[in-house]
């Protein structure tokens, strides 16, 4: 379904050989269909951050609330990365708000180029961003290295000032009751990372 509720397509599964289709398979297919509906809805204005063009907090929450139970049911791993730009206020104060906007857009582009298309990238607000990765194998270390490589290719003064702290947490159903608790955990780890960075700079 599109954002207006109209049916615009069908999700199909095709195999080379006949096989049984269990109730669990049916529920999984419904989950995928609901996830696609939410991703389509996320492209609508209400769920997209106007500044960066990626999902906003509402759009992220809509998708994440479907991803969590789906991955839990199938034993897939989930990792959440919570980013906060370091020194963002300095960019605004010294170069102006237009430069600050440029920095936010640049960071959003870095996220989109570094992570997989299946990963959920969002701007929660201000200079806070989040990425949810899910699957049998998660390559967050590789994505972080790619981010650093792309940041090194900055071409403007505002882009060259973009730095970030990140909190990374793996989903644990015994510790994380919902997406908010997962976000809180990752947020706390991000601040620990930021504190370490500030101490290292002396």
């Amino acid at each position: 379904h599109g954002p207006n509720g109209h049916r615009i397509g069908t999700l199909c599964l095709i195999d080379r050989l006949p096989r049984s289709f269990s109730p669990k398979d049916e529920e999984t297919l419904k989950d995928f269909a609901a996830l696609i509906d939410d991703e389509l809805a996320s492209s609508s204005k209400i769920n997209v951050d106007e500044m960066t063009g990626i999902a906003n907090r509402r759009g992220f929450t809509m998708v994440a609330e479907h991803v969590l139970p789906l991955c839990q049911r199938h034993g897939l791993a989930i990792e959440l990365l919570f980013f906060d730009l370091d020194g963002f206020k300095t960019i605004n104060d010294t170069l102006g708000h237009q430069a600050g906007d440029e920095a936010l857009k640049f960071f959003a582009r870095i996220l989109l180029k570094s992570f997989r298309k299946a990963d959920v990238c969002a701007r929660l607000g201000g200079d806070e961003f989040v990425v949810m990765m899910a699957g049998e194998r998660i390559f967050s270390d590789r994505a972080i290295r790619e981010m650093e490589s792309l940041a090194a290719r900055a071409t403007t003064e505002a882009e060259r000032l973009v730095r970030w702290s990140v909190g990374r947490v793996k989903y644990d159903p015994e510790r994380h009751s919902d997406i908010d608790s997962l976000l809180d955990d990752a947020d706390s780890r991000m601040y620990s990372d930021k504190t370490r960075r500030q101490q290292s700079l002396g």
Side-chain angles (χ1 to χ4, degrees):
H1 302 83
N4 58 6
H6 294 157
R7 292 183 179 179
I8 58 175
T10 303
L11 180 63
C12 301
L13 293 178
I14 300 175
D15 202 348
R16 295 181 178 181
L17 299 173
R19 65 178 181 87
S20 61
F21 199 66
S22 69
K24 182 179 179 180
D25 291 332
E26 184 176 349
E27 288 301 314
T28 297
L29 188 58
K30 289 179 179 178
D31 282 340
F32 277 124
L35 182 60
I36 292 171
D37 281 355
D38 284 344
E39 288 181 335
L40 290 171
S42 293
S43 66
S44 65
K45 190 172 182 178
I46 194 171
N47 295 315
V48 172
D49 178 60
E50 186 175 354
M51 173 69 65
T52 61
I54 63 177
N56 58 19
R57 179 182 286 271
R58 177 187 174 117
F60 169 77
T61 300
M62 286 180 61
V63 175
E65 286 179 345
H66 282 288
V67 171
L68 278 180
L70 178 65
C71 291
Q72 188 173 6
R73 184 160 59 245
H74 291 275
L76 301 177
I78 297 176
E79 186 169 345
L80 190 74
L81 295 88
F82 195 113
F83 295 92
D84 185 84
L85 299 189
D86 298 332
F88 180 69
K89 185 177 183 300
T90 301
I91 297 177
N92 277 330
D93 292 345
T94 59
L95 300 179
H97 289 284
Q98 185 173 350
D101 293 348
E102 182 183 332
L104 293 173
K105 294 175 184 177
F106 178 61
F107 188 73
R109 291 197 299 272
I110 287 177
L111 291 180
L112 291 176
K113 291 179 180 179
S114 302
F115 290 87
R116 305 167 301 182
K117 290 182 179 180
D119 299 328
V120 185
C121 301
R123 180 188 176 202
L124 297 184
D127 58 351
E128 295 181 338
F129 294 78
V130 67
V131 177
M132 174 178 277
M133 306 182 73
E136 293 183 356
R137 302 181 67 187
I138 294 177
F139 301 98
S140 56
D141 289 336
R142 185 168 65 189
I144 293 290
R145 290 194 297 271
E146 179 64 17
M147 289 179 65
E148 293 168 349
S149 175
L150 291 171
R153 302 175 203 169
T155 57
T156 69
E157 186 174 2
E159 291 178 355
R160 284 191 287 269
L161 291 175
V162 171
R163 302 286 186 275
W164 61 83
S165 298
V166 58
R168 298 160 62 178
V169 60
K170 293 182 179 179
Y171 172 63
D172 181 350
E174 295 185 359
R175 293 175 49 226
H176 307 120
S177 58
D178 53 23
I179 187 60
D180 288 334
S181 62
L182 188 61
L183 281 169
D184 289 343
D185 195 357
D187 185 25
S188 176
R189 297 189 185 203
M190 180 276 295
Y191 275 106
S192 295
D193 183 50
K194 187 179 290 288
T195 299
R196 285 194 298 268
R197 290 172 180 273
Q198 292 171 344
Q199 291 174 345
S200 67
L201 293 175

